[in-house]
């Protein structure tokens, strides 16, 4: 959604930087990024992680580019994720950034992209568990207030060790005292 030329232009006009994940909605840009000589670019970082029953290796390559068909793009990024649970899948993610090689190291770029995915995971929970996109609250402070309450509920449940937000909500909804105890208020 945010890999839009207008969004990049808006940020650049305010002297801000961006990192934009390039997906299928930017077909020409994605094709251009895929066609870069990635095999000749050395690996610039690798991280390992595990959780949720799977192991993951993330490898990053970054290339300084000229004339990418995206406003202000200075570097192209390729991240390959090797994810193993029962089987191994390899996913290649491409991104562009307005940050130069002098401004950000590849390891920091990888961390910024990873942090973006964490934010997306929060939005996914808010949409799927709380049906936020279906909310009819659209005016005044109501949308922001409800987002704050949803974030509070998610954060409290995560601190309490709840693995499934839907199950945690159902459990707490059955007894009016549970949410207060959960927050340490009873």
């Amino acid at each position: 959604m945010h890999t839009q030329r207008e969004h990049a232009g808006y940020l650049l006009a305010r002297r801000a930087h961006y990192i934009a994940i390039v997906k299928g909605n930017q077909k020409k840009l994605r094709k251009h990024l895929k066609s870069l000589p990635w095999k000749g670019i050395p690996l610039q970082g690798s991280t390992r992680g595990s959780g949720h029953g799977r192991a993951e290796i993330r490898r990053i390559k970054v290339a300084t580019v000229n004339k990418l068909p995206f406003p202000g793009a200075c570097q192209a990024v390729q991240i390959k994720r090797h994810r193993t649970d029962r089987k191994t899948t390899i996913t290649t993610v491409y991104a562009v950034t307005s940050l130069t090689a002098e401004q950000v190291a590849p390891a920091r770029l990888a961390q910024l992209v990873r942090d973006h995915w964490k934010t997306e995971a929060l939005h996914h929970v808010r949409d799927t568990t709380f049906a936020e996109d279906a909310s009819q609250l659209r005016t005044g402070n109501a949308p922001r207030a409800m987002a704050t309450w949803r974030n509070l509920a998610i954060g409290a449940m995560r601190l309490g060790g709840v693995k499934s937000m839907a199950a945690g909500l159902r459990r707490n909804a059955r007894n009016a005292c549970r949410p207060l105890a959960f927050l340490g208020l009873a």
Side-chain angles (χ1 to χ4, degrees):
M1 178 177 121
H2 295 291
T3 307
Q4 303 293 326
R5 286 168 178 75
E6 296 81 22
H7 293 182
Y10 176 87
L11 292 169
L12 293 169
R14 283 152 183 79
R15 299 178 193 250
H17 290 284
Y18 66 82
I19 299 170
I21 306 299
V22 180
K23 296 182 180 178
N25 63 332
Q26 294 286 340
K27 289 180 181 20
K28 288 181 184 178
L29 179 58
R30 185 167 172 79
K31 185 177 178 182
H32 189 91
L33 291 172
K34 284 177 82 171
S35 71
L36 291 174
W38 292 110
K39 289 184 181 180
I41 297 171
L43 183 65
Q44 293 156 314
S46 181
T47 59
R48 292 179 182 267
S50 61
H52 305 286
R54 63 179 175 253
E56 188 173 72
I57 300 171
R58 292 171 294 281
R59 296 183 173 127
I60 187 168
K61 293 182 177 184
V62 182
T64 299
V65 291
N66 294 320
K67 299 183 181 178
L68 263 182
F70 200 77
C74 294
Q75 293 189 90
V77 181
Q78 181 194 61
I79 298 174
K80 283 203 176 192
R81 295 188 318 231
H82 298 249
R83 184 177 288 171
T84 304
D85 43 20
R86 288 186 206 119
K87 62 178 184 168
T88 299
T89 57
I90 300 171
T91 307
T92 304
V93 176
Y94 295 100
V96 292
T97 181
S98 60
L99 294 162
T100 65
E102 292 77 27
Q103 292 173 307
V104 65
R108 179 68 179 137
L109 272 176
Q111 185 60 48
L112 290 168
V113 170
R114 185 102 170 114
D115 289 347
H116 169 76
W117 288 327
K118 289 178 187 174
T119 303
E120 286 298 314
L122 172 65
H123 288 287
H124 177 74
V125 169
R126 283 179 24 189
D127 187 35
T128 58
T129 305
F130 291 95
E132 188 172 64
D133 286 350
S135 174
Q136 304 238 341
L137 298 172
R138 305 218 191 288
T139 59
N141 292 326
R144 182 174 287 156
M146 288 307 298
T148 300
W149 285 113
R150 291 178 188 115
N151 286 342
L152 174 66
I154 292 166
M157 286 194 288
R158 284 191 178 150
L159 284 173
V162 171
K163 301 288 185 217
S164 166
M165 291 295 144
L169 286 172
R170 284 190 301 273
R171 184 178 190 288
N172 282 295
R174 290 186 189 119
N175 182 330
C177 294
R178 279 189 191 136
L180 296 174
F182 211 75
L183 295 169
L185 300 174

